[in-house]
Amino acid sequence: MSAATPSFIVAIPARYGSTRLPAKPLREIAGVPMVVRVAQRALEAGAAQVIVAVDDQRIADALQGQGVDVCMTRSDHASGSDRLAECAEHYRWADDAIVVNLQGDEPFAPAAGIREVARALADDDAPMATLATPITEAHELFDPNVVKLVRSVGGRALYFSRAPAPWARDAFALHRDVLPEGVPFLRHIGIYAYRAGFLKRYTTLARTPLEQAESLEQLRVLEHGFPIAARLTPEPFPPGIDTEADLERAERWLSGS
């Protein structure tokens, strides 16, 4: 397993519309637009190129002078991956280029984690990589908003689920308020690295039954038979920003209160 960080691109999908948090990329955290904070994290990670894929000129304007490239993309993309695939075509990235998909609502993503997902892909012949972190509290395991990851001994994803997984049959038959020891419960962290050629291919794959049932796009990759490398994050990933309450929590966290 290599300790060196490969050259990588960070691409940040930033869509203006959001049902839960209108104008999400431009919402300010301690006076700085969220999308600017995400771009700063990508630059801190040492990316060779940072692209923000936008669908609204107002987001592009907020990024002026930040040292990143802005790619204006169509407004009708179904997902962030589709938006980034348009960028891959626009910039003509080589098929073997490593592209890290950093979500536009992750303003506190650690630089070490961004580098780690790029390294995970470089060290594996899988076309895609992601990160996870141990689950230590029972309420997390049983929360459907926390996506669980089950992986092989070789460090590849076996399944992603909103349900508790793996199911500790004997322990949970007795109680479900404390997690049994020795079971690898993992929370999936929604950061991905792709080889650019696969990113373009991924968006052509048909949606799949498990993907639709769980509402988890990454299951499309597994259902079509492609492996996903999965590593543990070297540093905690604070929660992303999806709601007004998340914004308020982020403000308090930055202020130390």
Side-chain angles (χ1 to χ4, degrees):
M1 192 175 292
S2 172
T5 301
S7 177
F8 63 95
I9 299 161
V10 171
I12 303 165
R15 183 173 64 92
Y16 186 82
S18 172
T19 54
R20 288 191 289 179
L21 194 60
K24 184 194 287 191
L26 300 181
R27 299 298 295 270
E28 293 188 350
I29 304 173
V32 179
M34 189 186 315
V35 69
V36 172
R37 288 190 176 276
V38 178
Q40 289 171 344
R41 290 289 179 160
L43 291 168
E44 290 169 10
Q49 183 181 23
V50 178
I51 307 292
V52 186
V54 308
D55 66 349
D56 190 287
Q57 186 60 42
R58 287 167 288 189
I59 306 174
D61 292 343
L63 289 160
Q64 291 298 313
Q66 296 298 322
V68 301
D69 293 331
V70 176
C71 183
M72 187 64 68
T73 58
R74 302 198 321 265
S75 61
D76 61 347
H77 284 304
S79 70
S81 299
D82 292 305
R83 198 170 302 285
L84 299 193
E86 183 179 345
C87 289
E89 295 286 358
H90 176 79
Y91 289 99
R92 300 185 183 277
W93 291 327
D95 283 350
D96 61 352
I98 293 175
V99 181
V100 174
N101 179 350
L102 178 61
Q103 300 299 318
D105 56 8
E106 294 278 359
F108 306 125
I114 298 170
R115 290 191 292 268
E116 184 67 13
V117 76
R119 192 179 296 122
L121 187 64
D123 287 347
D124 200 296
D125 60 3
M128 184 171 165
T130 193
L131 298 179
T133 192
I135 292 175
T136 58
E137 300 292 337
H139 69 85
E140 277 191 280
L141 184 70
F142 289 92
D143 183 348
N145 295 311
V146 174
V147 178
K148 275 65 70 172
L149 165 61
V150 180
R151 65 176 186 162
S152 71
V153 294
R156 286 184 168 181
L158 295 173
Y159 193 63
F160 300 85
S161 183
R162 297 184 182 278
W167 184 258
R169 185 195 65 174
D170 295 342
F172 289 153
L174 298 175
H175 58 76
R176 299 179 187 178
D177 54 346
V178 177
L179 295 180
E181 295 183 3
V183 182
F185 299 113
L186 296 174
R187 174 173 69 85
H188 178 232
I189 295 170
I191 185 171
Y192 301 99
Y194 319 82
R195 289 186 172 83
F198 181 72
L199 174 60
K200 291 179 281 189
R201 182 175 183 182
Y202 167 74
T203 59
T204 70
L205 298 175
R207 295 189 68 193
T208 51
L210 293 176
E211 172 197 6
Q212 293 180 74
E214 296 257 21
S215 191
L216 296 173
E217 281 186 277
Q218 61 270 36
L219 287 173
R220 186 188 316 176
V221 178
L222 297 183
E223 285 186 87
H224 280 283
F226 297 100
I228 300 175
R231 279 196 186 174
L232 298 181
T233 179
E235 292 183 19
F237 267 70
I241 309 295
D242 286 318
T243 65
E244 293 285 354
D246 292 338
L247 267 180
E248 293 171 7
R249 183 167 56 248
E251 291 273 4
R252 291 195 301 271
W253 184 73
L254 281 177
S255 67
S257 60

